[in-house]
Amino acid sequence: MKVSLFATCLVDMFQSNVGKATVELLERLGCEIDLPESQVCCGQPAYNSGYTKESKEAMKRMIDTFQDAEYVVSPSGSCAFMFHEYPHVFKGDPVWEPKAKKLAEKTYELTQFIVDVLKVEDVGAKFEGKATYHTSCHMTRLLGVKRAPMILLNNVQGLEFTELPGKEQCCGFGGTFSVKMTQISEQMVDEKVCHVEETEADYLIGADAGCLMNIGGRIDRQGKPIKVLHIAEVLNSRNRIFSGQIGED
């Protein structure tokens, strides 16, 4: 099965370890990985800020980049959802709406692809530690991926899992929201960190880089001994010891 990796900006620029884990995991599951070098930002920051016209050029670039892909997989529920938003953005456009629909139909978030397309529920991962999981808003509420991450994490050997209180609550990131509404965002992420502490977990796992950077940054500034990991790193683990925040190992 051929998979084109939609790496996302944050993974490309800040969290290459997540991209590496994603590739290694999918290759271990029998996939042939392609990384189109012409990919850019999916346009989500500009689009969510109301700059629809300006964001369309980036969207068109991404549609052309992945037009020949068999499957498109991303280690980000938020960015994967943006591809599913493209048909709405180009609705009524005789040229770009059909292309946008074709891209949306073959785009998956990583865990969604593993469980729903590859039909794998146990990737053979081994990870010792007590962990909890942050359910990001775009991935769960908009993309609708709730079941797949839990199935995969519950099958990780050695992982002691505790559900996060208030898991449905936003962490306060929301892209540009955290910049425009700093004080509100800070209160939201503080509440999220408190919930993580309630679980007494050693690790906070998530599937969206933006959320993990936001929560992980707050945890780090507060000096908490909680390590933040992307789910791809955990699923690709073989009893590997992670010593720092996301991006550090």
Side-chain angles (χ1 to χ4, degrees), residues 200-227:
E200 299 182 347
D202 301 310
Y203 298 93
L204 171 66
I205 302 169
D208 266 304
C211 297
L212 293 177
M213 287 183 69
N214 185 46
I215 305 170
R218 195 60 178 164
I219 286 173
D220 186 56
R221 285 191 293 275
Q222 293 180 352
K224 309 291 185 183
I226 304 165
K227 302 172 185 66

PDB file of all heavy atoms in Angstrom, residues 200-227:
ATOM      1  N   GLU A 200      -2.071  11.570  37.878  1.00  0.00           N
ATOM      2  CA  GLU A 200      -0.756  11.125  38.371  1.00  0.00           C
ATOM      3  C   GLU A 200       0.035  10.409  37.278  1.00  0.00           C
ATOM      4  O   GLU A 200       0.861   9.531  37.564  1.00  0.00           O
ATOM      5  CB  GLU A 200      -0.909  10.235  39.604  1.00  0.00           C
ATOM      6  CG  GLU A 200      -1.582  10.944  40.781  1.00  0.00           C
ATOM      7  CD  GLU A 200      -1.671  10.059  42.016  1.00  0.00           C
ATOM      8  OE1 GLU A 200      -1.439   8.837  41.891  1.00  0.00           O
ATOM      9  OE2 GLU A 200      -1.971  10.596  43.097  1.00  0.00           O
ATOM     10  N   ALA A 201      -0.218  10.791  36.041  1.00  0.00           N
ATOM     11  CA  ALA A 201       0.470  10.161  34.910  1.00  0.00           C
ATOM     12  C   ALA A 201       1.885  10.716  34.755  1.00  0.00           C
ATOM     13  O   ALA A 201       2.157  11.882  35.061  1.00  0.00           O
ATOM     14  CB  ALA A 201      -0.318  10.408  33.621  1.00  0.00           C
ATOM     15  N   ASP A 202       2.757   9.866  34.266  1.00  0.00           N
ATOM     16  CA  ASP A 202       4.125  10.282  33.949  1.00  0.00           C
ATOM     17  C   ASP A 202       4.199  10.869  32.540  1.00  0.00           C
ATOM     18  O   ASP A 202       5.094  11.657  32.242  1.00  0.00           O
ATOM     19  CB  ASP A 202       5.076   9.090  34.030  1.00  0.00           C
ATOM     20  CG  ASP A 202       5.084   8.451  35.413  1.00  0.00           C
ATOM     21  OD1 ASP A 202       5.235   9.200  36.399  1.00  0.00           O
ATOM     22  OD2 ASP A 202       4.918   7.217  35.497  1.00  0.00           O
ATOM     23  N   TYR A 203       3.238  10.452  31.696  1.00  0.00           N
ATOM     24  CA  TYR A 203       3.248  10.876  30.306  1.00  0.00           C
ATOM     25  C   TYR A 203       1.877  11.400  29.883  1.00  0.00           C
ATOM     26  O   TYR A 203       0.849  10.821  30.227  1.00  0.00           O
ATOM     27  CB  TYR A 203       3.618   9.712  29.380  1.00  0.00           C
ATOM     28  CG  TYR A 203       4.995   9.142  29.616  1.00  0.00           C
ATOM     29  CD1 TYR A 203       5.173   8.057  30.481  1.00  0.00           C
ATOM     30  CD2 TYR A 203       6.112   9.681  28.982  1.00  0.00           C
ATOM     31  CE1 TYR A 203       6.437   7.520  30.704  1.00  0.00           C
ATOM     32  CE2 TYR A 203       7.375   9.144  29.203  1.00  0.00           C
ATOM     33  CZ  TYR A 203       7.535   8.080  30.061  1.00  0.00           C
ATOM     34  OH  TYR A 203       8.784   7.556  30.276  1.00  0.00           O
ATOM     35  N   LEU A 204       1.892  12.478  29.111  1.00  0.00           N
ATOM     36  CA  LEU A 204       0.692  12.960  28.435  1.00  0.00           C
ATOM     37  C   LEU A 204       0.872  12.666  26.960  1.00  0.00           C
ATOM     38  O   LEU A 204       1.837  13.120  26.334  1.00  0.00           O
ATOM     39  CB  LEU A 204       0.494  14.467  28.642  1.00  0.00           C
ATOM     40  CG  LEU A 204      -0.626  15.089  27.785  1.00  0.00           C
ATOM     41  CD1 LEU A 204      -1.987  14.534  28.196  1.00  0.00           C
ATOM     42  CD2 LEU A 204      -0.595  16.611  27.883  1.00  0.00           C
ATOM     43  N   ILE A 205      -0.049  11.908  26.392  1.00  0.00           N
ATOM     44  CA  ILE A 205       0.009  11.531  24.984  1.00  0.00           C
ATOM     45  C   ILE A 205      -1.068  12.282  24.217  1.00  0.00           C
ATOM     46  O   ILE A 205      -2.164  12.516  24.731  1.00  0.00           O
ATOM     47  CB  ILE A 205      -0.199  10.011  24.825  1.00  0.00           C
ATOM     48  CG1 ILE A 205       0.858   9.240  25.623  1.00  0.00           C
ATOM     49  CG2 ILE A 205      -0.152   9.597  23.358  1.00  0.00           C
ATOM     50  CD1 ILE A 205       0.565   7.751  25.736  1.00  0.00           C
ATOM     51  N   GLY A 206      -0.772  12.662  22.994  1.00  0.00           N
ATOM     52  CA  GLY A 206      -1.754  13.332  22.152  1.00  0.00           C
ATOM     53  C   GLY A 206      -1.469  13.058  20.693  1.00  0.00           C
ATOM     54  O   GLY A 206      -0.441  12.460  20.344  1.00  0.00           O
ATOM     55  N   ALA A 207      -2.369  13.517  19.812  1.00  0.00           N
ATOM     56  CA  ALA A 207      -2.215  13.251  18.383  1.00  0.00           C
ATOM     57  C   ALA A 207      -2.165  14.519  17.551  1.00  0.00           C
ATOM     58  O   ALA A 207      -2.173  14.445  16.320  1.00  0.00           O
ATOM     59  CB  ALA A 207      -3.351  12.349  17.898  1.00  0.00           C
ATOM     60  N   ASP A 208      -2.119  15.674  18.209  1.00  0.00           N
ATOM     61  CA  ASP A 208      -2.019  16.940  17.492  1.00  0.00           C
ATOM     62  C   ASP A 208      -0.859  17.749  18.048  1.00  0.00           C
ATOM     63  O   ASP A 208      -0.827  18.083  19.240  1.00  0.00           O
ATOM     64  CB  ASP A 208      -3.316  17.740  17.603  1.00  0.00           C
ATOM     65  CG  ASP A 208      -4.251  17.489  16.433  1.00  0.00           C
ATOM     66  OD1 ASP A 208      -3.812  17.694  15.286  1.00  0.00           O
ATOM     67  OD2 ASP A 208      -5.416  17.094  16.652  1.00  0.00           O
ATOM     68  N   ALA A 209       0.085  18.085  17.172  1.00  0.00           N
ATOM     69  CA  ALA A 209       1.313  18.755  17.590  1.00  0.00           C
ATOM     70  C   ALA A 209       1.044  20.103  18.252  1.00  0.00           C
ATOM     71  O   ALA A 209       1.709  20.475  19.221  1.00  0.00           O
ATOM     72  CB  ALA A 209       2.236  18.935  16.390  1.00  0.00           C
ATOM     73  N   GLY A 210       0.076  20.856  17.735  1.00  0.00           N
ATOM     74  CA  GLY A 210      -0.215  22.171  18.305  1.00  0.00           C
ATOM     75  C   GLY A 210      -0.650  22.080  19.753  1.00  0.00           C
ATOM     76  O   GLY A 210      -0.154  22.830  20.616  1.00  0.00           O
ATOM     77  N   CYS A 211      -1.558  21.175  20.031  1.00  0.00           N
ATOM     78  CA  CYS A 211      -2.031  20.980  21.408  1.00  0.00           C
ATOM     79  C   CYS A 211      -0.893  20.551  22.317  1.00  0.00           C
ATOM     80  O   CYS A 211      -0.757  21.039  23.446  1.00  0.00           O
ATOM     81  CB  CYS A 211      -3.131  19.924  21.449  1.00  0.00           C
ATOM     82  SG  CYS A 211      -4.622  20.347  20.529  1.00  0.00           S
ATOM     83  N   LEU A 212      -0.071  19.637  21.833  1.00  0.00           N
ATOM     84  CA  LEU A 212       1.021  19.122  22.649  1.00  0.00           C
ATOM     85  C   LEU A 212       2.074  20.188  22.918  1.00  0.00           C
ATOM     86  O   LEU A 212       2.652  20.234  24.007  1.00  0.00           O
ATOM     87  CB  LEU A 212       1.653  17.910  21.971  1.00  0.00           C
ATOM     88  CG  LEU A 212       0.760  16.668  21.880  1.00  0.00           C
ATOM     89  CD1 LEU A 212       1.470  15.548  21.130  1.00  0.00           C
ATOM     90  CD2 LEU A 212       0.348  16.198  23.265  1.00  0.00           C
ATOM     91  N   MET A 213       2.319  21.054  21.951  1.00  0.00           N
ATOM     92  CA  MET A 213       3.254  22.153  22.174  1.00  0.00           C
ATOM     93  C   MET A 213       2.699  23.122  23.209  1.00  0.00           C
ATOM     94  O   MET A 213       3.428  23.626  24.069  1.00  0.00           O
ATOM     95  CB  MET A 213       3.522  22.892  20.864  1.00  0.00           C
ATOM     96  CG  MET A 213       4.390  22.133  19.885  1.00  0.00           C
ATOM     97  SD  MET A 213       4.756  23.082  18.386  1.00  0.00           S
ATOM     98  CE  MET A 213       5.826  24.353  19.039  1.00  0.00           C
ATOM     99  N   ASN A 214       1.399  23.375  23.132  1.00  0.00           N
ATOM    100  CA  ASN A 214       0.759  24.299  24.065  1.00  0.00           C
ATOM    101  C   ASN A 214       0.780  23.751  25.492  1.00  0.00           C
ATOM    102  O   ASN A 214       1.247  24.411  26.431  1.00  0.00           O
ATOM    103  CB  ASN A 214      -0.677  24.561  23.622  1.00  0.00           C
ATOM    104  CG  ASN A 214      -1.379  25.594  24.473  1.00  0.00           C
ATOM    105  OD1 ASN A 214      -0.824  26.655  24.766  1.00  0.00           O
ATOM    106  ND2 ASN A 214      -2.607  25.313  24.863  1.00  0.00           N
ATOM    107  N   ILE A 215       0.298  22.527  25.657  1.00  0.00           N
ATOM    108  CA  ILE A 215       0.251  21.916  26.990  1.00  0.00           C
ATOM    109  C   ILE A 215       1.661  21.635  27.502  1.00  0.00           C
ATOM    110  O   ILE A 215       1.976  21.894  28.661  1.00  0.00           O
ATOM    111  CB  ILE A 215      -0.575  20.618  26.969  1.00  0.00           C
ATOM    112  CG1 ILE A 215      -1.978  20.877  26.414  1.00  0.00           C
ATOM    113  CG2 ILE A 215      -0.678  20.031  28.378  1.00  0.00           C
ATOM    114  CD1 ILE A 215      -2.772  19.617  26.129  1.00  0.00           C
ATOM    115  N   GLY A 216       2.505  21.114  26.612  1.00  0.00           N
ATOM    116  CA  GLY A 216       3.872  20.802  27.004  1.00  0.00           C
ATOM    117  C   GLY A 216       4.648  22.036  27.411  1.00  0.00           C
ATOM    118  O   GLY A 216       5.442  22.003  28.361  1.00  0.00           O
ATOM    119  N   GLY A 217       4.415  23.138  26.707  1.00  0.00           N
ATOM    120  CA  GLY A 217       5.088  24.384  27.056  1.00  0.00           C
ATOM    121  C   GLY A 217       4.686  24.882  28.430  1.00  0.00           C
ATOM    122  O   GLY A 217       5.533  25.345  29.210  1.00  0.00           O
ATOM    123  N   ARG A 218       3.398  24.743  28.749  1.00  0.00           N
ATOM    124  CA  ARG A 218       2.907  25.181  30.065  1.00  0.00           C
ATOM    125  C   ARG A 218       3.447  24.269  31.173  1.00  0.00           C
ATOM    126  O   ARG A 218       3.850  24.744  32.245  1.00  0.00           O
ATOM    127  CB  ARG A 218       1.376  25.179  30.089  1.00  0.00           C
ATOM    128  CG  ARG A 218       0.775  25.949  31.244  1.00  0.00           C
ATOM    129  CD  ARG A 218       1.193  27.405  31.198  1.00  0.00           C
ATOM    130  NE  ARG A 218       0.585  28.183  32.270  1.00  0.00           N
ATOM    131  CZ  ARG A 218       1.022  29.387  32.629  1.00  0.00           C
ATOM    132  NH1 ARG A 218       2.049  29.938  31.995  1.00  0.00           N
ATOM    133  NH2 ARG A 218       0.437  30.031  33.621  1.00  0.00           N
ATOM    134  N   ILE A 219       3.461  22.982  30.908  1.00  0.00           N
ATOM    135  CA  ILE A 219       4.010  22.025  31.870  1.00  0.00           C
ATOM    136  C   ILE A 219       5.474  22.338  32.152  1.00  0.00           C
ATOM    137  O   ILE A 219       5.932  22.328  33.297  1.00  0.00           O
ATOM    138  CB  ILE A 219       3.864  20.583  31.337  1.00  0.00           C
ATOM    139  CG1 ILE A 219       2.396  20.137  31.427  1.00  0.00           C
ATOM    140  CG2 ILE A 219       4.754  19.610  32.103  1.00  0.00           C
ATOM    141  CD1 ILE A 219       2.117  18.797  30.784  1.00  0.00           C
ATOM    142  N   ASP A 220       6.208  22.653  31.096  1.00  0.00           N
ATOM    143  CA  ASP A 220       7.629  22.956  31.232  1.00  0.00           C
ATOM    144  C   ASP A 220       7.849  24.241  32.031  1.00  0.00           C
ATOM    145  O   ASP A 220       8.713  24.289  32.916  1.00  0.00           O
ATOM    146  CB  ASP A 220       8.256  23.080  29.843  1.00  0.00           C
ATOM    147  CG  ASP A 220       9.762  23.250  29.901  1.00  0.00           C
ATOM    148  OD1 ASP A 220      10.426  22.385  30.491  1.00  0.00           O
ATOM    149  OD2 ASP A 220      10.269  24.251  29.360  1.00  0.00           O
ATOM    150  N   ARG A 221       7.060  25.270  31.738  1.00  0.00           N
ATOM    151  CA  ARG A 221       7.217  26.544  32.453  1.00  0.00           C
ATOM    152  C   ARG A 221       6.860  26.416  33.922  1.00  0.00           C
ATOM    153  O   ARG A 221       7.389  27.132  34.765  1.00  0.00           O
ATOM    154  CB  ARG A 221       6.360  27.625  31.786  1.00  0.00           C
ATOM    155  CG  ARG A 221       6.921  28.134  30.479  1.00  0.00           C
ATOM    156  CD  ARG A 221       6.193  29.363  29.994  1.00  0.00           C
ATOM    157  NE  ARG A 221       4.822  29.089  29.611  1.00  0.00           N
ATOM    158  CZ  ARG A 221       4.454  28.646  28.414  1.00  0.00           C
ATOM    159  NH1 ARG A 221       5.367  28.421  27.479  1.00  0.00           N
ATOM    160  NH2 ARG A 221       3.185  28.422  28.135  1.00  0.00           N
ATOM    161  N   GLN A 222       5.950  25.504  34.225  1.00  0.00           N
ATOM    162  CA  GLN A 222       5.556  25.297  35.620  1.00  0.00           C
ATOM    163  C   GLN A 222       6.469  24.295  36.329  1.00  0.00           C
ATOM    164  O   GLN A 222       6.313  24.056  37.529  1.00  0.00           O
ATOM    165  CB  GLN A 222       4.108  24.805  35.686  1.00  0.00           C
ATOM    166  CG  GLN A 222       3.095  25.859  35.239  1.00  0.00           C
ATOM    167  CD  GLN A 222       1.666  25.358  35.308  1.00  0.00           C
ATOM    168  OE1 GLN A 222       1.418  24.176  35.542  1.00  0.00           O
ATOM    169  NE2 GLN A 222       0.709  26.244  35.109  1.00  0.00           N
ATOM    170  N   GLY A 223       7.401  23.727  35.597  1.00  0.00           N
ATOM    171  CA  GLY A 223       8.352  22.800  36.203  1.00  0.00           C
ATOM    172  C   GLY A 223       7.755  21.470  36.608  1.00  0.00           C
ATOM    173  O   GLY A 223       8.253  20.815  37.537  1.00  0.00           O
ATOM    174  N   LYS A 224       6.710  21.033  35.918  1.00  0.00           N
ATOM    175  CA  LYS A 224       6.070  19.758  36.246  1.00  0.00           C
ATOM    176  C   LYS A 224       6.886  18.592  35.666  1.00  0.00           C
ATOM    177  O   LYS A 224       7.452  18.708  34.579  1.00  0.00           O
ATOM    178  CB  LYS A 224       4.651  19.704  35.679  1.00  0.00           C
ATOM    179  CG  LYS A 224       3.777  20.909  36.022  1.00  0.00           C
ATOM    180  CD  LYS A 224       3.422  20.968  37.482  1.00  0.00           C
ATOM    181  CE  LYS A 224       2.444  22.116  37.745  1.00  0.00           C
ATOM    182  NZ  LYS A 224       2.115  22.256  39.187  1.00  0.00           N
ATOM    183  N   PRO A 225       6.946  17.469  36.352  1.00  0.00           N
ATOM    184  CA  PRO A 225       7.731  16.314  35.875  1.00  0.00           C
ATOM    185  C   PRO A 225       6.965  15.416  34.911  1.00  0.00           C
ATOM    186  O   PRO A 225       7.159  14.196  34.897  1.00  0.00           O
ATOM    187  CB  PRO A 225       8.049  15.579  37.178  1.00  0.00           C
ATOM    188  CG  PRO A 225       6.840  15.816  38.019  1.00  0.00           C
ATOM    189  CD  PRO A 225       6.389  17.232  37.705  1.00  0.00           C
ATOM    190  N   ILE A 226       6.091  15.994  34.110  1.00  0.00           N
ATOM    191  CA  ILE A 226       5.277  15.217  33.171  1.00  0.00           C
ATOM    192  C   ILE A 226       5.865  15.337  31.779  1.00  0.00           C
ATOM    193  O   ILE A 226       6.146  16.437  31.311  1.00  0.00           O
ATOM    194  CB  ILE A 226       3.813  15.722  33.168  1.00  0.00           C
ATOM    195  CG1 ILE A 226       3.225  15.688  34.579  1.00  0.00           C
ATOM    196  CG2 ILE A 226       2.972  14.888  32.201  1.00  0.00           C
ATOM    197  CD1 ILE A 226       1.946  16.491  34.725  1.00  0.00           C
ATOM    198  N   LYS A 227       6.046  14.220  31.096  1.00  0.00           N
ATOM    199  CA  LYS A 227       6.614  14.210  29.758  1.00  0.00           C
ATOM    200  C   LYS A 227       5.494  14.157  28.721  1.00  0.00           C
ATOM    201  O   LYS A 227       4.492  13.473  28.923  1.00  0.00           O
ATOM    202  CB  LYS A 227       7.563  13.024  29.603  1.00  0.00           C
ATOM    203  CG  LYS A 227       8.701  13.020  30.623  1.00  0.00           C
ATOM    204  CD  LYS A 227       9.501  11.739  30.573  1.00  0.00           C
ATOM    205  CE  LYS A 227      10.563  11.714  31.678  1.00  0.00           C
ATOM    206  NZ  LYS A 227       9.941  11.674  33.036  1.00  0.00           N
TER     207      LYS A 227
END
